[in-house]
Amino acid sequence: MEKLRTVRGVHDLLPNELHKHNIVINAGLEISDKYNYSQIETPIFEFSEVFTKPLGMSSDIVTKENYIFKDRSEDELMLRPEGTSGVVRAFLNAGLVQDVPQRFSYYGPMFRYERPQKGRLRQFKQIGVECLGLSSSMADIEVISLGHDFLNKLDLLDKINLTINTLGDFESRQKYRDALINYLKGYQTKLSKDSIRRLSINPLRILDSKDPDDQKIIKHSPNILDFLNFESKIRFEEICKGLDHLNIKYNIDKNLVRGLDYYCHTAFEFVTNELGTQGTVLAGGRYDGLSKMLGGSDIPGVGWAAGIERLSLMISSEFVKQTDVVLMGQAESFNYLLLPIMKKLIQEGIKSEIIYTGNFSKKFKRANKINASYAIILGEEEINDKIFKFKNLKSGIEELLNLDQIIKKLKN
Ligand code: ATP
Ligand code: MG
């Protein structure tokens, strides 16, 4: 029979890889907690409009990459492509608008129908933070600093650079957008197909194009920084000042944008060149327009999301199975006697495994394989005395002990 496969771009996570994911996740949750961000979880699927409304028809995530389906009640649902929309929706539904600021962290799987490659999957995991209800540039600085500390915790900062930019407020962006369209129209025949399509619906997104010909054109495009009104300019200066103050190094890239309509002002990315074209490991920005697009009141927000797979590709840590103690009996019938003993050990917080089958030689091999530190051996002679052979598998030393004595030793 043919083996059943997983769907393209969707992978199993075996212990070794999952171990790395968990290192990334734990580092992220821990540092978020220290910054006073509380963990939140939203559903993996939602009514499509939670994503289509704010992300808009100009976004690839919604037009080309979505996993959309109807359930049995004909409701149109979407597997979430990103976390922010769901978190803001949850915040609005919970009536937390009167109780701002709210700081959230989250992690979990996201789904996008993309061309799978290294660091680009169809089911992948993100960890992210959202700071809601603060329009001050301090919040932008805070979330960038949080991202920076997160990557530092993973010891990755020497391989990752921070790039920032501003998209200005609505007014500045509108002016810039017009200038950009004007400029790009001069190259209409040379732009990639995707970019020509974007020219009318989302021209800023063209700046994000990976097409080499597009990139040549973009290089000399108008600079957003020349179109900022006074307020937006000051705001961007405050961000730079705050990062300088924290000794966080950054480059300014005038072509860094976030492709979605609800973004404004600050945009930032932490990028490595160790992962080829999938180098962006953490990306974020300010999204003051999002809450309103979701039907809520005008609540400013800023946050980021990091790709867990991409970060785990960068860390070197191997999962090694460790076992505190293995239990083995002389005959298979002894396994029954070992069961309550294992239960007792586990209750004491000791990681235990009964090796059920094989002769002693096979059982010791298995103990070695799972890196067991000790073995509790039950032989014919000990069976009536409630006494066990307790063997230190590293030193080879054996003693005859009762269970209480063994637990005491194991807990030391
Ligand atoms: P890219 O330009 O790489 O497509 P993006 O702009 O679509 O990224 P965001 O929506 O900002 O990415 O998501 C934040 C982070 O999530 C990315 O920086 C990346 O690390 C990760 N990510 C995004 N899409 C994928 C994917 N398909 N597979 C794995 N990780 C992803
Ligand atoms: Mg993408």
Side-chain angles (χ1 to χ4, degrees):
M1 207 173 75
E2 216 181 301
K3 269 193 211 155
L4 292 173
R5 296 170 299 127
T6 57
V7 175
R8 197 163 118 85
V10 176
H11 292 315
D12 298 316
L13 290 168
L14 296 178
N16 197 17
E17 205 178 342
L18 192 55
H19 169 70
K20 288 193 199 182
H21 282 207
N22 288 337
I23 290 175
V24 172
I25 292 164
N26 291 336
L29 293 180
E30 260 172 43
I31 191 71
S32 302
D33 180 60
K34 293 290 183 293
Y35 273 80
N36 226 2
Y37 285 62
S38 312
Q39 204 183 326
I40 185 173
E41 204 170 295
T42 62
I44 282 170
F45 58 92
E46 303 241 13
F47 292 117
S48 297
E49 56 183 8
V50 172
F51 306 107
T52 53
K53 263 190 178 171
L55 299 181
M57 280 310 160
S58 58
S59 128
D60 285 352
I61 297 187
V62 161
T63 51
K64 295 200 298 192
E65 300 174 359
N66 67 36
Y67 277 97
I68 204 164
F69 60 98
K70 281 209 167 118
D71 71 2
R72 286 168 204 274
S73 2
E74 294 289 303
D75 283 326
E76 200 185 84
L77 308 176
M78 199 188 288
L79 296 183
R80 64 178 183 200
E82 53 100 38
T84 307
S85 302
V87 170
V88 174
R89 184 209 40 71
F91 157 88
L92 292 170
N93 286 163
L96 294 171
V97 173
Q98 304 301 329
D99 189 14
V100 288
Q102 290 281 339
R103 293 175 167 87
F104 297 116
S105 64
Y106 66 86
Y107 77 92
M110 306 295 161
F111 306 84
R112 297 184 193 174
Y113 190 83
E114 304 201 66
R115 200 165 68 79
Q117 45 199 297
K118 185 181 168 194
R120 191 177 295 289
L121 302 162
R122 289 182 176 172
Q123 176 176 338
F124 61 100
K125 288 196 285 197
Q126 285 183 337
I127 179 161
V129 300
E130 315 293 353
C131 177
L132 302 175
L134 292 175
S135 57
S136 160
S137 57
M138 282 297 140
D140 309 44
I141 300 164
E142 175 183 301
V143 298
I144 295 174
S145 170
L146 167 44
H148 189 261
D149 277 347
F150 166 44
L151 299 174
N152 190 29
K153 236 175 139 79
L154 294 172
D155 208 13
L156 292 176
L157 277 184
D158 52 347
K159 299 174 188 162
I160 294 175
N161 291 312
L162 168 63
T163 302
I164 63 168
N165 191 26
T166 181
L167 306 168
D169 60 6
F170 183 74
E171 183 195 79
S172 310
R173 202 160 54 258
Q174 208 56 31
K175 273 197 194 140
Y176 174 64
R177 193 187 140 109
D178 292 344
L180 184 65
I181 292 177
N182 237 335
Y183 168 83
L184 290 173
K185 270 193 171 155
Y187 296 91
Q188 225 166 4
T189 50
K190 297 198 176 107
L191 283 170
S192 69
K193 251 197 198 141
D194 265 344
S195 290
I196 290 170
R197 189 174 53 84
R198 286 175 184 140
L199 196 52
S200 53
I201 47 176
N202 191 354
L204 261 64
R205 189 63 217 262
I206 297 176
L207 300 175
D208 205 20
S209 168
K210 310 232 154 61
D211 181 283
D213 289 332
D214 284 357
Q215 278 183 355
K216 273 183 224 150
I217 299 167
I218 294 158
K219 217 172 169 180
H220 304 288
S221 64
N223 188 338
I224 175 86
L225 301 177
D226 298 330
F227 290 82
L228 297 180
N229 57 19
F230 182 70
E231 215 183 42
S232 302
K233 206 173 192 158
I234 294 288
R235 206 176 185 291
F236 190 52
E237 281 168 13
E238 285 168 3
I239 308 274
C240 296
K241 194 172 129 194
L243 295 177
D244 292 338
H245 214 66
L246 291 169
N247 276 323
I248 296 176
K249 289 193 197 67
Y250 58 88
N251 309 305
I252 297 173
D253 176 357
K254 72 173 177 76
N255 290 333
L256 171 66
V257 290
R258 312 242 29 90
L260 308 172
D261 294 341
Y262 55 69
Y263 278 102
C264 61
H265 294 297
T266 320
F268 58 92
E269 286 188 355
F270 286 87
V271 184
T272 178
N273 44 32
E274 290 203 344
L275 299 175
T277 44
Q278 274 64 254
T280 307
V281 292
L282 185 155
R286 177 162 280 279
Y287 48 82
D288 293 349
L290 174 60
S291 168
K292 239 180 159 172
M293 284 177 167
L294 284 167
S297 47
D298 217 346
I299 301 289
V302 58
W304 52 253
I308 291 172
E309 285 77 6
R310 291 186 195 179
L311 286 171
S312 27
L313 283 169
M314 295 184 74
I315 61 174
S316 50
S317 167
E318 215 165 306
F319 173 68
V320 182
K321 201 172 173 104
Q322 298 282 2
T323 312
D324 295 330
V325 61
V326 290
L327 299 91
M328 44 178 101
Q330 192 167 340
E332 267 190 46
S333 58
F334 290 36
N335 288 337
Y336 280 102
L337 303 171
L338 291 174
L339 275 176
I341 294 166
M342 177 174 80
K343 201 173 165 74
K344 181 89 197 337
L345 291 168
I346 287 168
Q347 276 166 353
E348 297 288 341
I350 296 161
K351 198 165 172 176
S352 318
E353 175 176 321
I354 299 177
I355 302 178
Y356 296 118
T357 56
N359 56 25
F360 273 132
S361 145
K362 272 223 167 112
K363 284 174 174 164
F364 277 111
K365 258 193 199 141
R366 163 82 189 163
N368 192 32
K369 205 169 174 183
I370 58 175
N371 279 313
S373 306
Y374 294 91
I376 293 173
I377 303 151
L378 184 58
E380 204 84 63
E381 315 89 72
E382 292 92 29
I383 211 158
N384 295 318
D385 303 342
K386 300 223 170 204
I387 276 197
F388 307 90
K389 212 179 265 166
F390 183 62
K391 183 169 183 177
N392 181 328
L393 295 173
K394 306 278 136 85
S395 67
I397 294 171
E398 281 181 13
E399 309 170 79
L400 282 174
L401 300 172
N402 68 29
L403 188 55
D404 286 341
Q405 292 167 316
I406 288 174
I407 288 172
K408 227 184 212 162
K409 287 225 165 202
L410 284 170
K411 283 181 116 177
N412 267 331

